[in-house]
Every structure is written in C-alpha cells, then in structure tokens.
Amino acid sequence: AQSVTQPDIHITVSEGASLELRCNYSYGATPYLFWYVQSPGQGLQLLLKYFSGDTLVQGIKGFEAEFKRSQSSFNLRKPSVHWSDAAEYFCAVGTVSNRDDKIIFGKGTRLHILP
Amino acid sequence: GAVVSQHPSRVICKSGTSVKIECRSLDFQATTMFWYRQFPKKSLMLMATSNEGSKATYEQGVEKDKFLINHASLTLSTLTVTSAHPEDSSFYICSARDLDGLYWGYTFGSGTRLTVV
C-alpha cells in the first residue's frame, strides 16, 4: 500500500533563508509524486509533480523537488523563502495510470517564516 | 490549466439537516472525482472516489449512507452530508482527475467549510 511520511510537523525559517521540506514514500512501483501547498482555509494548489524523466523537478513559485529512488524521497526545496510562503505543505504519492488510482497525502508540514 | 469549482465555500447548518456540496470541473471532463475530508491541523483523508455513471467507492470507515456521492455528469460530482451532526463539521475538498499532456493529474477545489450547530 502507498504511504507518505513527512517527518517535520513544523518548520521555521527566516525570510531569505533556504528551505528543505522532507518527504519519504512507500510504494511498490514507480511512484507519481506531488507537492501541494495550502493556505489557511483554502484548497490545495499544486506546486510540482514528478511522473518520470529528470529527477529534479521545477515547480511554481521558485520551488523544486528532487526524486531519489534509492532513498524513497521527494524533498521540496527553495533557495530563498518569502514571507508569503508561510503555509501548509503536503507531499502526496499516487498512481495515475488507470481508473482505480488515488493519491495519498502525508500529514503535512507547517512552514513558519520569521521576518 | 484545469479548474475545479467547489460550492459553497462555507455553510452552517442545523443538526439533523442535510447539506449538499458541489464540485464542478470547469474546462475539462472529469471521469473521476475524489472527496477528501480535512480535520483541523490534520492531513487530507480520502473519503471516496466518484466515477461518472457508477457508484462511488468509499474508503474503509466512511459511512456511505451518511455521505452520499453522486457523479451524474462528466463535470459535476456532489457530496451530500445527510442528517448532519456537529462531529461532521470539517473542511471538505474535492479533486478531479484531469489529463495534463501525457499524464493524469489532480486539480483541487477550494474547499467547503461545514459547520453543524
């Protein structure tokens, strides 16, 4: 069965500092991986996704993530965070190749930005 | 890109009444839609998968008689919370599966905050 682990419940970084949010997954085949961001009281916005090909994926808002099969990881990074990046971030893993697909979310990491 | 519209964004209802939440794919046809529930400070829990023209597939532990899902067209899925109780208060989010180039993706609605008083 699929599962996703985000080991950090809260992360606090200073504005302008670099960021890395961790995500580990468990899945028997090649996974399809996603990062979503959620602002308070809002729905989810897709930051980036990995299906195949280049393991370093570029997303919106200056985010990137790297798929490392050997470590079963898909960590999200940003070189310099902005105060507007404060939000909840969800990593997700899924199968998207047939009608029986679904995606499973990690528990999320709350990002706090210090001025 | 794909857009999913979810309404209402907020709803307050009395205990014992039913509430319907709509999820529409605006510029694409969604054969599959998903309904999630998010508890405060918790992750999203998949409640059910809704396939157009067929019965929804519910996740273990989700009461299908309480959470009625209808996917009558390729652009609309509805979730009806029947005989709502305060413990049903939550944030509900729908998602539609869309074809993004060669690959399927998921687009989420903006969510519905349900408060049962």
Side-chain angles (χ1 to χ4, degrees):
Chain A
Q2 304 149 252
S3 69
V4 181
T5 302
Q6 292 181 249
D8 303 306
I9 298 174
H10 294 274
I11 289 279
T12 301
V13 298
S14 297
E15 190 169 16
S18 64
L19 170 71
E20 182 169 36
L21 301 182
R22 296 183 290 166
C23 173
N24 293 95
Y25 67 90
S26 174
Y27 184 58
T30 300
Y32 295 92
L33 298 160
F34 309 84
W35 274 99
Y36 287 88
V37 61
Q38 183 182 34
S39 297
Q42 301 296 314
L44 280 79
Q45 181 182 25
L46 178 67
L47 288 176
L48 46 79
K49 59 190 176 187
Y50 171 79
F51 289 153
S52 67
D54 192 346
T55 57
L56 184 61
V57 181
Q58 301 297 321
I60 63 171
K61 303 184 178 184
F63 286 93
E64 66 177 26
E66 186 170 12
F67 170 58
K68 293 185 177 179
R69 184 187 301 275
S70 62
Q71 299 177 19
S72 297
S73 69
F74 189 56
N75 295 347
L76 182 71
R77 301 193 294 249
K78 186 170 184 177
S80 177
V81 297
H82 186 262
W83 64 267
S84 59
D85 293 325
E88 187 91 23
Y89 291 80
F90 293 97
C91 180
V93 61
T95 60
V96 290
S97 59
N98 56 54
R99 281 177 65 89
D100 297 323
D101 66 324
K102 58 185 175 184
I103 59 173
I104 303 298
F105 287 85
K107 293 186 182 300
T109 298
R110 168 76 59 182
L111 176 62
H112 305 272
I113 306 295
L114 295 176
Chain B
V3 176
V4 172
S5 175
Q6 185 174 343
H7 292 281
S9 58
R10 293 179 179 272
V11 58
I12 301 173
C13 70
K14 291 183 177 180
S15 187
T17 61
S18 295
V19 174
K20 180 183 286 188
I21 303 170
E22 291 189 347
C23 181
R24 292 180 184 274
S25 58
L26 296 187
D27 50 2
F28 65 100
Q29 294 183 331
T31 55
T32 306
M33 289 186 175
F34 305 86
W35 288 95
Y36 292 84
R37 180 174 179 176
Q38 186 177 32
F39 295 94
K41 300 182 179 180
K42 297 288 186 182
S43 186
L44 289 87
M45 180 192 76
L46 179 64
M47 299 174 65
T49 301
S50 167
N51 292 306
E52 185 268 338
S54 64
K55 290 184 178 181
T57 302
Y58 290 81
E59 295 298 304
Q60 191 172 8
V62 178
E63 299 176 62
K64 59 181 67 177
D65 293 331
K66 165 165 275 297
F67 299 101
L68 300 179
I69 292 173
N70 184 286
H71 195 157
S73 78
L74 286 171
T75 59
L76 174 65
S77 176
T78 60
L79 167 68
T80 302
V81 183
T82 62
S83 186
H85 288 91
E87 57 265 31
D88 299 324
S89 298
S90 194
F91 193 61
Y92 294 87
I93 304 178
C94 71
S95 171
R97 184 167 171 260
D98 61 279
L99 189 60
D100 177 15
L102 295 177
Y103 302 104
W104 293 100
Y106 299 87
T107 300
F108 286 80
S110 55
T112 298
R113 170 71 61 191
L114 170 63
T115 303
V116 184
V117 298

